Every structure is written in C-alpha cells, then in structure tokens.
Amino acid sequence: MRKIIMSIIAVSLLIISCQKSNNYNYVFATGGTSGTYYSFGGSIASIWNANIEGMNVTAQSTGASAENLRLLNRHEADLAFVQNDVMDYAYNGTDIFAGEVLTNFSAMLTLYPEIVQIAATKSSGIKTIADMKGKRVSVGDAGSGVEFNAKQILEAYGLTFDDINKSNLSFKESSDGLQNGTLDACFIVAGIPNAALQELSLSSDIVLVSLDQIQLDEMLRKYKYYTEITIPANTYNKVDTDTKAIAVKATIAVNNNIPEDVVYNLMKTLFDKKADLAVAHAKGEELNIETAAQGISIPFHPGAIKYYKELGYDVGNN
C-alpha cells in the first residue's frame, strides 16, 4: 500500500511539474499609470491570458519607451510598448541612445500612430515650420523622443534649436504656455485627439502647422520609422483644414529569448480577438494587419515573421 501511495504521489508531482513547464509568466513593460500604454497594455495582457493556455502576462507601469528597451535588454521585461523611432535609436545606438547599442529585442507589430502634432497660436503668425525662426517653441521633455522628432523636422527646413527660443515642457505645460501667451508653438507626439490640445482649442485660437510635401518626403526617405499621415479637419475646435504630418508608431517589442511559437500565438490571438480588444480599449479599433509591419526599421522576431508570412505578408527581416 505504501508503495502504491508513493507511486501516486510521484505521478502527481510529475503532472504538476509538466503543467508548470507549460506556463508562461511574462512582464509587459508599458508606461505611466495615467497613459495609454498602461491601460492598453493591460487590455492586451487580459486578451492573451484569457485565450492562451498557461499564459500569464502582467502589465507593469514604467517610464515608457527608453526605459522599456533597457528592461528588455536586461531581461527584466519580456514584452514592451515602445515608439518605433526610439526602438531604432536603441538598436543603432543613436540619438537618445548615442553610444549605447541594445540588441536583445526584436519587433512584433505596430498598433496605432502617434502623430507629431505641431500647434501654434494664431497670433504668432506661424504658418509653416520656417516661420518658427526666432519664436518661442516647446519641443517636449529634455531627452525625450518628442525632442528628437522636433529636431529632425526643424533640420528638414534648415533650422536648428539655436534658431528658436527653445523650451522643454510636458504636453500640458506646452498647452498652458500657448494659452497664457508664454509660447508661440509646441510639438506634441500622441494619438489624436490629444487631450491637452483638445482642451486648448476650446479656449484659444490655434493652428496646426502642416509639413510641406518636399520636406515630408525627404524625412520619409531619411528616417524609415516615420509614416505620412493626415490629421483630419475638425479634429480640434476651429481647425477646419486637413493637416499633413508624420507619425511614429506605438509598437510592441519582445525579448529575443521568447520562443518562436509563443510570439506566433501572441500575434495570432491578438488579431483573432480584435473585436474583444476593441471592446476592452478604444485603441483596439486601430489594430490593422495591413499596417502592422509599417515603420519597423529593426529585425522582426521569428514568431512575428511566421505569422505575417502565413497571411501573405513578406516582411523579411530588416
């Protein structure tokens, strides 16, 4: 009898051990608790956990893109929300990551555009980027992706930060500056409508500055992580014309150590359950296989490549 009991215990422990070996416990690095990355990341994690056997993804609040890429590189996160331009900087050791090359991550998919929105007060007289010379302009937080977006756009017009009266302010501070007259213009990189600009447009007359096609095309050739986009008229109060802009993409990057079949299942589940994701979070509506690989300038994870190829998209490996 004792032998039988011991055998049963041994078999039970083996079953438990096998079950545990099929569990996947992953950390999903997102952003601040009040931002889109954190809330959308939580919704995505819930979709995965509910539909993939043994999957346990935890959305973790972080400092967003740059920190997330470092977390992936140090194996302290398994998946991460990042802007695709910051991802490019990290992989190539440029700009924000000058002298610091990170390679322990790869791309999975892009989710939605984060548009470089350039707002100015009507009273500033700014109608094109060239008009910013000598003006008071906020270019986002110091060292942020926004600051580098602003730098690159100004350079396309032959300007540098030395040509403007530069401030490094948050989106809300930038909006307040336009409202109280201490700023003439600001750069904001976000989905549309952006809450700070939306609120500003209800109390102040603003313009959105379009990019000229020549400079826009030049930037698309030079920086593979940008995509062209139009901000529709009436996105903001009294802004009644379309605005030509460029956008970076909110992207999911993954640690290279995640197995190919796991990343494949994560991709497939996300698209198979798109309707559920759209109910869980408004940004889920923007998930689109047609654009999911656009703006990626670094290698894709093999599991992502497998999924794209299964649907007829030859993404190669950048």
Side-chain angles (χ1 to χ4, degrees):
M1 176 63 76
R2 180 178 173 80
K3 287 183 178 179
I4 294 174
I5 292 173
M6 293 301 291
S7 297
I8 292 172
I9 291 172
V11 170
S12 298
L13 289 172
L14 180 62
I15 291 172
I16 291 171
S17 176
C18 290
Q19 287 175 338
K20 284 184 177 179
S21 69
N22 291 327
N23 285 346
Y24 304 100
N25 296 298
Y26 293 137
V27 172
F28 188 0
T30 59
T33 54
S34 63
T36 301
Y37 280 5
Y38 181 72
S39 59
F40 194 24
S43 298
I44 290 171
S46 294
I47 293 292
W48 284 333
N49 295 342
N51 293 282
I52 302 176
E53 186 177 355
M55 185 61 63
N56 180 30
V57 177
T58 302
Q60 179 174 297
S61 174
T62 68
S65 296
E67 179 184 340
N68 290 351
L69 289 161
R70 292 186 175 102
L71 290 171
L72 284 178
N73 203 61
R74 295 196 302 263
H75 300 279
E76 293 175 17
D78 306 287
L79 305 112
F81 257 128
V82 298
Q83 284 185 192
N84 62 333
D85 56 335
V86 180
M87 184 171 65
D88 183 276
Y89 303 153
Y91 192 81
N92 293 295
T94 62
D95 297 294
I96 299 170
F97 288 87
E100 179 188 7
V101 177
L102 309 182
T103 57
N104 188 38
F105 65 90
S106 46
M108 189 168 159
L109 79 163
T110 67
L111 295 161
Y112 61 90
E114 296 186 280
I115 303 170
V116 184
Q117 301 168 67
I118 308 162
T121 61
K122 277 194 175 178
S123 59
S124 71
I126 296 173
K127 295 180 180 178
T128 73
I129 299 299
D131 296 331
M132 287 189 173
K133 189 169 184 177
K135 300 293 187 179
R136 301 164 299 172
V137 184
S138 172
V139 297
D141 291 322
S144 67
V146 182
E147 186 177 43
F148 283 94
N149 299 145
K151 177 176 176 283
Q152 292 160 1
I153 290 173
L154 288 168
E155 285 176 349
Y157 284 81
L159 300 175
T160 70
F161 285 155
D162 291 336
D163 294 309
I164 63 173
N165 185 354
K166 179 173 76 81
S167 295
N168 290 104
L169 303 173
S170 70
F171 295 165
K172 182 62 168 65
E173 290 169 335
S174 296
S175 172
D176 290 344
L178 264 66
Q179 185 172 45
N180 62 33
T182 58
L183 287 177
D184 298 306
C186 68
F187 286 78
I188 288 180
V189 181
I192 55 172
N194 170 259
L197 286 182
Q198 195 169 39
E199 183 179 341
L200 174 66
S201 71
L202 295 173
S203 58
S204 304
D205 288 333
I206 65 168
V207 295
L208 289 184
V209 182
S210 271
L211 297 181
D212 299 292
Q213 196 64 50
I214 292 174
Q215 284 80 8
L216 196 155
D217 289 341
E218 176 188 331
M219 294 194 69
L220 294 177
R221 284 193 297 271
K222 188 173 181 180
Y223 305 107
K224 300 305 181 185
Y225 43 77
Y226 283 130
T227 54
E228 182 176 351
I229 201 159
T230 298
I231 302 173
N234 301 311
T235 296
Y236 299 106
N237 188 47
K238 296 183 181 178
V239 180
D240 55 7
T241 57
D242 289 348
T243 304
K244 285 184 180 180
I246 54 174
V248 292
K249 295 287 191 74
T251 303
I252 297 180
V254 296
N255 188 288
N256 289 338
N257 290 348
I258 298 183
E260 177 180 326
D261 63 318
V262 174
V263 172
Y264 171 85
N265 283 331
L266 292 172
M267 288 277 291
K268 187 175 190 309
T269 300
L270 211 53
F271 284 98
D272 286 352
K273 299 298 180 181
K274 177 183 173 178
D276 293 343
L277 183 61
V279 170
H281 196 286
K283 283 298 178 188
E285 289 280 3
E286 299 185 49
L287 182 67
N288 185 351
I289 189 61
E290 298 287 340
T291 58
Q294 290 179 2
I296 298 294
S297 56
I298 73 155
F300 285 94
H301 190 283
I305 293 174
K306 180 181 178 182
Y307 182 74
Y308 287 121
K309 285 187 175 179
E310 187 175 275
L311 296 184
Y313 297 93
D314 185 9
V315 297
N317 212 339
N318 298 314

